[in-house]
Amino acid sequence: CQLFGYVGIEAVLDQMKVKTMKMGFEFNIMVVGQSGLGKSTMVNTLFKSKVSRKASQPGQDERIPKTVQLHSITHVIEEKGVKMKLTVTDTPGFGDQINNENCWDPIIKYINEQYERYLREEVLITRKRKIPDTRVHGCVYFVPPTGHCGGYPGVLGALSWDGGGVGRLEAMVPHLPQIQEDLKAHAISLYPQQDFDQDPEDRALNDRIREKIPFAVVGADQEHQVNGKRVLGRKTKWGIIEVENPAHCEFPLLRDLLIRSHLQDLKDITHNVHYESYRVRRLSES
Amino acid sequence: QNHGYRTLSLSGHVGFGSLPEQLVKKSIKQGFCFNILCIGETGIGKSALINSLFNTNFDDPVSTHFLPRVQLRAQTYELQESNVLLKLTVVNTVGFGDQINREDSYQPIVDYIDAQFEAYLQEELKINRSLFIYHDTRIHVCIYFISPTGHSLKTLDLLTMKSLDSKVNIIPIIGKADGISKTELQNFKNKIMSELVSNGVQIYQFPTDDETFAEMNTIMNGCLPFAVVGSTKEVKIGNKVVRARQYPWGIVQVENENHCDFVKLRKMLICTNMEDLREQTHARHYELYRRCRLEEMGFRDTGPENKPVSLQEAYEAKRHELYLELQRKEEKMRQQFVQRVKEKETILKEAEQQIQSRFEHHMLMHQEVKQKLEKKKKILENEIALFIEKKANAELLQSQASISTPVVGLKRDKDRK
């Protein structure tokens, strides 16, 4: 139907913004990888705050645990009036043992537990106005910088098949083509999945991202002076690696993907696709 | 939500401040859904108001006053303003208040609203569901048109609103308000509001908890019910063409705030609170319906010993129930089928017998006719035989007579002739 004059329907967008700012957001991210790969530093760099405690800090009673243990910390951060409840789940002990068979089991168990929690809340007769969301929205998998590590495709395969829960990867390595081939060979589907591209614009944007996966990143939480500006970087004897400089590493790509452009999309796919397929499986079980 | 969690301070720009934008972008892609229910007597100006609200001309046929029952008629339209796509559904109550006996006027409305909730609930309960592409038909707001009598609410109004106030957001308005004078109007409004309060009718309150809209919403809450005028015609005033109603004594301009509350209604309904109306429908009215319905179906959150019932058990029980139901239906259908077959057989048998008896009847007739004909044939044959005999005798006599006198013969001829 043709509108003959201004009505004010578009004001609904502002209404939505106000509502969501009041409600706040939840975001749950998981980092998977062997110890020493820089997971904690990366998370701190991403969110520009001391979200994770680093395992390598001296004086801490941190020893590599004998089994994979999942460790979640929740913080509240605020920017431009937007409040975000951020939960980071760490996986110390992953891939660190001599025998790493099935080291992904605790991870999958955790992911499914979160889906189960949400499902239970959803089927209650009297349910909460806002169901607390602890489901993992994104899993960042750190591939060691050696180019290949024992059986990592196996791990990713297990993660992306079970629960359909995981399948997002950005990692830290220079041997890009080899890894991309490996991933394809094992039919591992990573975020952003091609099936969920909604329109040509989306597809173009996501194709560019898919080309670059896995991202080669460097994390740092110390600032240095470079050309009169203060930048985050790692100081080495041969120069300062600027973390946020796209010419030095692909950290900006990771950050933009995760936070600035695709955060809502990650949550939507978790809710509409992965959670739904968990629910179907669970309800068909009986 | 943020209890017990440490708040961290950011040492630099992270970038999640763009989250509301990301969300909005998604919503634009998906489009919005808004469903309005208009309740009011025939001719009170429902269509005119909707046309004015959305500044367009919806195709809506005029209805008669002579319907025996209240019917609900829903029509969906797609509107676009800049980059926002709105799927608007307008549900009209046709024949409301027209019957002599109005006892059942509001039941069809309640049933309709419940049916939309039920459809959503069924989708939500499905195993393979697709809620994010589901076309939400639940009523987000009910605009109740009060007749501009100037005195008070009618019993029908109170009963209807009371039966709907826990199911839908109600915004009462006074229709065709150009018939009430300014002084009468304020008294009328006060009377209406006090009647609503004293009868415990919960109408929709514009939300006052968020500071962005709190002040305006509070003022608007005090202006309820809105006195509106709608128009599908336009009148030229000065050098502008506006929606208005032209009377010999003046022109009532729809969008003039001094003439009526139309602009207030549009602002509240669309520009300020559309999202809240949708949210209240989903979080409050729908949840209430869902809870009652699930309890009705036999689901419980806690079992007989007050222990939480597991999901598995609940679904098992439900599944069993459905299975039994299916079996019952199957049995019923089977029996019906057998019954029908029997009936058909009886009919066919009867028909067969009928044909049989007719056949026999025809056979009998045939026999009779045949016999008659035989008789006639015999009679004719006898006559023929007699005739031949006579003829033979006559010829004999004639041949004897012709040997004697010809004159006599002539005479005899004459005689014979």
Side-chain angles (χ1 to χ4, degrees), chain A residues 28-45:
Chain A
N28 309 321
I29 184 175
M30 180 189 271
V31 283
V32 180
Q34 296 170 337
S35 50
L37 285 180
K39 303 193 291 291
S40 309
T41 316
M42 176 55 54
V43 172
N44 289 346
T45 318

Side-chain angles (χ1 to χ4, degrees), chain B residues 70-314:
Chain B
V70 174
Q71 289 169 4
L72 284 101
R73 204 164 57 194
Q75 272 169 305
T76 309
Y77 312 99
E78 281 197 7
L79 305 172
Q80 178 148 16
E81 189 173 78
S82 58
N83 56 351
V84 179
L85 197 69
L86 182 70
K87 215 177 205 155
L88 177 73
T89 302
V90 181
V91 186
N92 260 317
T93 50
V94 180
F96 186 77
D98 278 339
Q99 295 79 31
I100 300 219
N101 182 354
R102 299 186 214 167
E103 264 172 8
D104 282 331
S105 290
Y106 56 85
Q107 195 55 46
I109 305 176
V110 174
D111 292 340
Y112 182 85
I113 295 178
D114 279 345
Q116 310 317 306
F117 282 146
E118 183 66 26
Y120 189 89
L121 180 64
Q122 289 303 324
E123 181 67 27
E124 201 192 9
L125 288 178
K126 271 194 205 160
I127 293 192
N128 277 311
R129 60 189 189 182
S130 30
L131 275 177
F132 54 94
I133 51 172
Y134 177 78
H135 176 213
D136 192 0
T137 52
R138 299 174 296 181
I139 302 293
H140 298 128
V141 66
C142 162
I143 304 185
Y144 193 95
F145 287 70
I146 300 171
S147 290
T149 57
H151 293 164
S152 62
L153 286 173
K154 299 192 193 147
T155 318
L156 178 62
D157 294 338
L158 280 170
L159 280 177
T160 309
M161 283 200 265
K162 193 86 183 86
S163 67
L164 294 176
D165 68 355
S166 59
K167 291 188 184 285
V168 75
N169 302 315
I170 302 180
I171 297 184
I173 65 170
I174 303 172
K176 295 209 161 162
D178 46 349
I180 313 182
S181 75
K182 237 186 165 107
T183 37
E184 283 176 347
L185 187 61
Q186 196 48 52
N187 287 337
F188 190 29
K189 283 192 185 183
N190 295 338
K191 191 78 182 5
I192 293 176
M193 289 312 278
S194 68
E195 279 193 341
L196 287 175
V197 165
S198 60
N199 280 285
V201 175
Q202 304 266 24
I203 57 171
Y204 177 72
Q205 294 291 309
F206 303 121
T208 50
D209 46 358
D210 183 275
E211 52 193 28
T212 332
F213 303 123
E215 205 185 309
M216 175 155 64
N217 279 348
T218 321
I219 299 176
M220 292 294 181
N221 275 329
C223 292
L224 283 173
F226 295 133
V228 294
V229 176
S231 171
T232 47
K233 301 222 165 30
E234 296 185 323
V235 175
K236 189 154 185 204
I237 299 182
N239 55 356
K240 280 205 299 179
V241 177
V242 292
R243 279 185 191 263
R245 288 177 67 81
Q246 189 154 39
Y247 290 105
W249 47 88
I251 303 175
V252 181
Q253 295 159 39
V254 168
E255 298 194 19
N256 185 329
E257 292 208 61
N258 290 328
H259 290 194
C260 71
D261 294 331
F262 173 81
V263 171
K264 292 197 178 81
L265 175 66
R266 181 197 264 169
K267 219 178 193 161
M268 287 291 99
L269 193 63
I270 304 174
C271 308
T272 313
N273 298 305
M274 180 148 68
E275 190 54 36
D276 186 64
L277 284 163
R278 282 156 37 112
E279 168 146 358
Q280 292 292 328
T281 307
H282 180 69
R284 194 146 59 94
H285 300 299
Y286 170 69
E287 284 296 313
L288 180 62
Y289 176 84
R290 178 179 173 275
R291 189 164 65 232
C292 296
R293 189 82 176 88
L294 287 181
E295 281 175 359
E296 217 177 276
M297 292 205 270
F299 285 104
R300 294 275 180 280
D301 275 340
T302 53
E305 291 116 44
N306 247 19
K307 276 196 285 212
V309 173
S310 90
L311 188 60
Q312 204 112 342
E313 283 166 26

Side-chain angles (χ1 to χ4, degrees), chain A residues 2 4 10 15 260 265, chain B residues 22 26 55-56 82 271 275:
Chain A
Q2 191 74 22
F4 297 136
E10 60 173 10
Q15 296 170 32
R260 295 194 187 164
D265 193 44
Chain B
Q22 290 181 37
K26 283 257 155 190
N55 231 333
T56 179
S82 58
C271 308
E275 190 54 36

Side-chain angles (χ1 to χ4, degrees), chain A residues 50-64:
Chain A
K50 290 243 177 316
V51 181
S52 309
R53 277 178 312 151
K54 282 192 275 196
S56 57
Q57 277 171 359
Q60 299 281 357
D61 191 19
E62 301 275 350
R63 253 177 279 133
I64 294 176

Side-chain angles (χ1 to χ4, degrees), chain A residues 114-129:
Chain A
Q114 307 319 307
Y115 287 142
E116 183 66 24
R117 246 203 219 168
Y118 192 90
L119 181 62
R120 279 188 191 272
E121 288 283 345
E122 200 192 16
V123 297
L124 281 180
I125 308 251
T126 314
R127 40 189 199 185
K128 302 199 177 90
R129 193 158 184 141

